[in-house]
Amino acid sequence: MAAYGGETHERIPAHVAIIMDGNGRWAKKRLLPRSAGHRAGVKRMVKLAEHAFDSGVKVLTLYALSVENLHRPQEELQGLFSLIREYFSGDTEKIAARGVALRVIGEIGLLPEDVARLIEEGIKKGGDGSGGTLVFAIAYGARQEIVRAVNRAVAAGKEVTEAQFCEFLDTAGLPDPDLLIRTGRERRLSNFLLFQSAYTEFYFSDKLFPDFSNRDLDAAFASYAARERRFGRIK
Ligand code: IPE
Ligand code: IPE
Ligand code: MG
């Protein structure tokens, strides 16, 4: 990929990251409980992931739960944990059958033990990576991730280069995101991939996540394809 010098780049971003926001408002608009919005969000997420890999995306990172989300009311959290349990107990099979490897970033140790275990078991049942990599950010916070990485570097006992530091991040071995999409009208990162998104292209959609269709993803790809990435350089 010709990434530098303002040259053309691949039309389809290799690594797409999505902040899946707006489930609660989607449910509220329909006078449904927030949990119904999260359930609709998972359904949409499954379809979007298939479409992304069909389109040629190599890595898809999905922000499913932030560390800060763990301060939401117990009732909502229990609903979210149930959805995570359901998803990782079987729904991963279809995407794994397409050769998509599964991975998680974040501190899943902060989750109830059985939820963390189901995630770990589900991840192991992922594909060999020939079809891409699906990364779930669960109990994830970028600042916390950076601090963890710093502590790992300190424990290693020597100064690190930028490349070596990246290996201490939860995203070790993954390329930086090329395109970061946030649904749900907000224009902020909410503690997502702060280090990795230094030169990422941003795309904000006003659609609430359960309404963000495969066509909306195509529109994000089209927007990305029309951009010139300069990485601080000039032509
Ligand atoms: C995103 O939807 C999913 C999670 C944060 C788990 P929200 O639950 O934040 O939905 P809104 O922003 O309240 O609509
Ligand atoms: C970001 O959305 C986290 C996820 C989508 C998982 P939030 O709804 O938590 O973000 P804020 O609170 O609006 O910044
Ligand atoms: Mg939100």
Short mmCIF file of all heavy atoms in Angstrom, two decimals, residues 173-198:
data_model
loop_
_atom_site.label_atom_id
_atom_site.label_comp_id
_atom_site.label_asym_id
_atom_site.label_seq_id
_atom_site.Cartn_x
_atom_site.Cartn_y
_atom_site.Cartn_z
N GLY A 173 0.76 -6.18 16.93
CA GLY A 173 0.71 -6.98 15.71
C GLY A 173 -0.34 -6.54 14.71
O GLY A 173 -0.33 -6.96 13.56
N LEU A 174 -1.28 -5.70 15.14
CA LEU A 174 -2.32 -5.22 14.22
C LEU A 174 -1.88 -3.92 13.57
O LEU A 174 -1.20 -3.11 14.21
CB LEU A 174 -3.63 -4.97 14.98
CG LEU A 174 -4.30 -6.18 15.63
CD1 LEU A 174 -5.46 -5.74 16.51
CD2 LEU A 174 -4.80 -7.16 14.56
N PRO A 175 -2.28 -3.69 12.33
CA PRO A 175 -1.96 -2.39 11.71
C PRO A 175 -2.82 -1.30 12.37
O PRO A 175 -3.84 -1.61 12.98
CB PRO A 175 -2.36 -2.59 10.25
CG PRO A 175 -3.42 -3.64 10.29
CD PRO A 175 -3.08 -4.55 11.44
N ASP A 176 -2.42 -0.04 12.22
CA ASP A 176 -3.25 1.06 12.72
C ASP A 176 -4.53 1.13 11.90
O ASP A 176 -4.53 0.77 10.72
CB ASP A 176 -2.50 2.39 12.58
CG ASP A 176 -1.38 2.53 13.60
OD1 ASP A 176 -1.39 1.80 14.62
OD2 ASP A 176 -0.48 3.37 13.36
N PRO A 177 -5.62 1.61 12.49
CA PRO A 177 -6.85 1.73 11.70
C PRO A 177 -6.68 2.76 10.57
O PRO A 177 -6.08 3.81 10.77
CB PRO A 177 -7.91 2.18 12.70
CG PRO A 177 -7.18 2.60 13.93
CD PRO A 177 -5.82 2.00 13.90
N ASP A 178 -7.19 2.42 9.39
CA ASP A 178 -7.17 3.37 8.27
C ASP A 178 -8.40 4.26 8.34
O ASP A 178 -8.33 5.44 8.03
CB ASP A 178 -7.17 2.59 6.94
CG ASP A 178 -5.94 1.74 6.82
OD1 ASP A 178 -4.84 2.31 6.73
OD2 ASP A 178 -6.05 0.49 6.86
N LEU A 179 -9.50 3.66 8.72
CA LEU A 179 -10.79 4.38 8.78
C LEU A 179 -11.46 4.09 10.10
O LEU A 179 -11.58 2.92 10.49
CB LEU A 179 -11.68 3.91 7.62
CG LEU A 179 -13.12 4.44 7.60
CD1 LEU A 179 -13.13 5.96 7.35
CD2 LEU A 179 -13.94 3.73 6.52
N LEU A 180 -11.86 5.15 10.80
CA LEU A 180 -12.61 4.99 12.05
C LEU A 180 -13.99 5.61 11.87
O LEU A 180 -14.11 6.78 11.52
CB LEU A 180 -11.86 5.64 13.22
CG LEU A 180 -12.42 5.36 14.62
CD1 LEU A 180 -11.29 5.42 15.66
CD2 LEU A 180 -13.51 6.34 15.02
N ILE A 181 -15.00 4.79 12.06
CA ILE A 181 -16.39 5.22 11.88
C ILE A 181 -17.03 5.35 13.25
O ILE A 181 -16.87 4.46 14.09
CB ILE A 181 -17.17 4.18 11.04
CG1 ILE A 181 -16.56 4.02 9.65
CG2 ILE A 181 -18.65 4.55 10.96
CD1 ILE A 181 -17.08 2.82 8.87
N ARG A 182 -17.76 6.46 13.48
CA ARG A 182 -18.59 6.52 14.67
C ARG A 182 -20.03 6.79 14.24
O ARG A 182 -20.30 7.77 13.55
CB ARG A 182 -18.15 7.61 15.65
CG ARG A 182 -19.05 7.63 16.90
CD ARG A 182 -18.59 8.52 18.02
NE ARG A 182 -19.43 8.30 19.19
CZ ARG A 182 -19.02 8.35 20.45
NH1 ARG A 182 -17.76 8.62 20.71
NH2 ARG A 182 -19.85 8.12 21.45
N THR A 183 -20.92 5.93 14.65
CA THR A 183 -22.34 6.15 14.40
C THR A 183 -22.92 6.92 15.58
O THR A 183 -22.25 7.14 16.59
CB THR A 183 -23.09 4.82 14.23
OG1 THR A 183 -23.04 4.10 15.48
CG2 THR A 183 -22.48 3.96 13.14
N GLY A 184 -24.18 7.33 15.47
CA GLY A 184 -24.90 7.87 16.62
C GLY A 184 -24.71 9.35 16.90
O GLY A 184 -24.94 9.80 18.02
N ARG A 185 -24.26 10.09 15.89
CA ARG A 185 -24.24 11.57 15.93
C ARG A 185 -23.14 12.24 16.75
O ARG A 185 -22.89 13.42 16.56
CB ARG A 185 -25.59 12.13 16.44
CG ARG A 185 -26.74 11.73 15.58
CD ARG A 185 -28.00 12.45 16.00
NE ARG A 185 -29.14 11.70 15.47
CZ ARG A 185 -30.20 11.35 16.19
NH1 ARG A 185 -30.30 11.71 17.46
NH2 ARG A 185 -31.16 10.66 15.64
N GLU A 186 -22.54 11.56 17.69
CA GLU A 186 -21.51 12.23 18.50
C GLU A 186 -20.22 12.32 17.69
O GLU A 186 -19.92 11.43 16.90
CB GLU A 186 -21.23 11.48 19.80
CG GLU A 186 -22.45 11.04 20.58
CD GLU A 186 -23.29 12.19 21.08
OE1 GLU A 186 -22.90 13.36 20.87
OE2 GLU A 186 -24.35 11.91 21.67
N ARG A 187 -19.48 13.40 17.91
CA ARG A 187 -18.18 13.56 17.24
C ARG A 187 -17.08 13.50 18.28
O ARG A 187 -16.52 14.53 18.66
CB ARG A 187 -18.14 14.90 16.49
CG ARG A 187 -18.60 14.81 15.04
CD ARG A 187 -20.08 15.02 14.92
NE ARG A 187 -20.51 15.07 13.52
CZ ARG A 187 -21.54 14.38 13.05
NH1 ARG A 187 -22.22 13.55 13.82
NH2 ARG A 187 -21.89 14.50 11.78
N ARG A 188 -16.85 12.35 18.83
CA ARG A 188 -15.75 12.21 19.80
C ARG A 188 -15.26 10.77 19.79
O ARG A 188 -15.93 9.87 19.30
CB ARG A 188 -16.21 12.63 21.20
CG ARG A 188 -17.45 11.92 21.71
CD ARG A 188 -17.81 12.36 23.14
NE ARG A 188 -19.09 11.82 23.54
CZ ARG A 188 -20.22 12.52 23.66
NH1 ARG A 188 -20.22 13.81 23.42
NH2 ARG A 188 -21.35 11.92 24.03
N LEU A 189 -14.07 10.58 20.40
CA LEU A 189 -13.44 9.26 20.38
C LEU A 189 -13.83 8.41 21.58
O LEU A 189 -13.70 7.19 21.54
CB LEU A 189 -11.92 9.40 20.34
CG LEU A 189 -11.31 9.59 18.95
CD1 LEU A 189 -9.81 9.77 19.05
CD2 LEU A 189 -11.63 8.39 18.06
N SER A 190 -14.28 9.05 22.67
CA SER A 190 -14.69 8.30 23.86
C SER A 190 -13.69 7.20 24.25
O SER A 190 -14.07 6.04 24.46
CB SER A 190 -16.10 7.71 23.65
OG SER A 190 -17.04 8.72 23.39
N ASN A 191 -12.43 7.61 24.31
CA ASN A 191 -11.38 6.71 24.84
C ASN A 191 -11.13 5.47 23.97
O ASN A 191 -10.85 4.39 24.47
CB ASN A 191 -11.73 6.31 26.28
CG ASN A 191 -10.50 5.96 27.10
OD1 ASN A 191 -9.35 6.21 26.70
ND2 ASN A 191 -10.72 5.38 28.27
N PHE A 192 -11.25 5.63 22.65
CA PHE A 192 -11.05 4.51 21.72
C PHE A 192 -9.76 4.72 20.94
O PHE A 192 -9.56 5.78 20.32
CB PHE A 192 -12.25 4.44 20.78
CG PHE A 192 -12.33 3.21 19.91
CD1 PHE A 192 -12.08 1.95 20.43
CD2 PHE A 192 -12.72 3.31 18.58
CE1 PHE A 192 -12.21 0.81 19.64
CE2 PHE A 192 -12.84 2.18 17.78
CZ PHE A 192 -12.59 0.93 18.31
N LEU A 193 -8.87 3.77 20.93
CA LEU A 193 -7.68 3.73 20.06
C LEU A 193 -6.94 5.07 19.93
O LEU A 193 -6.58 5.48 18.83
CB LEU A 193 -8.08 3.22 18.67
CG LEU A 193 -8.71 1.82 18.63
CD1 LEU A 193 -9.13 1.46 17.21
CD2 LEU A 193 -7.76 0.75 19.16
N LEU A 194 -6.72 5.74 21.06
CA LEU A 194 -6.10 7.07 21.02
C LEU A 194 -4.70 7.04 20.41
O LEU A 194 -4.33 7.93 19.65
CB LEU A 194 -6.02 7.65 22.43
CG LEU A 194 -7.36 7.86 23.16
CD1 LEU A 194 -7.12 8.45 24.54
CD2 LEU A 194 -8.28 8.75 22.34
N PHE A 195 -3.92 6.04 20.75
CA PHE A 195 -2.55 5.95 20.25
C PHE A 195 -2.53 5.55 18.77
O PHE A 195 -1.79 6.11 17.97
CB PHE A 195 -1.76 4.92 21.09
CG PHE A 195 -0.30 4.87 20.79
CD1 PHE A 195 0.60 5.68 21.49
CD2 PHE A 195 0.19 4.03 19.80
CE1 PHE A 195 1.95 5.65 21.21
CE2 PHE A 195 1.55 3.99 19.51
CZ PHE A 195 2.43 4.80 20.22
N GLN A 196 -3.38 4.59 18.44
CA GLN A 196 -3.35 3.97 17.11
C GLN A 196 -3.96 4.85 16.03
O GLN A 196 -3.77 4.60 14.84
CB GLN A 196 -4.10 2.63 17.15
CG GLN A 196 -3.49 1.57 18.07
CD GLN A 196 -3.98 1.70 19.52
OE1 GLN A 196 -4.49 2.72 19.94
NE2 GLN A 196 -3.79 0.64 20.29
N SER A 197 -4.75 5.86 16.41
CA SER A 197 -5.49 6.61 15.39
C SER A 197 -4.80 7.93 15.00
O SER A 197 -5.45 8.84 14.48
CB SER A 197 -6.92 6.88 15.86
OG SER A 197 -6.91 7.62 17.06
N ALA A 198 -3.49 7.99 15.21
CA ALA A 198 -2.74 9.22 14.93
C ALA A 198 -2.99 9.75 13.51
O ALA A 198 -3.14 10.95 13.29
CB ALA A 198 -1.24 9.00 15.15
#
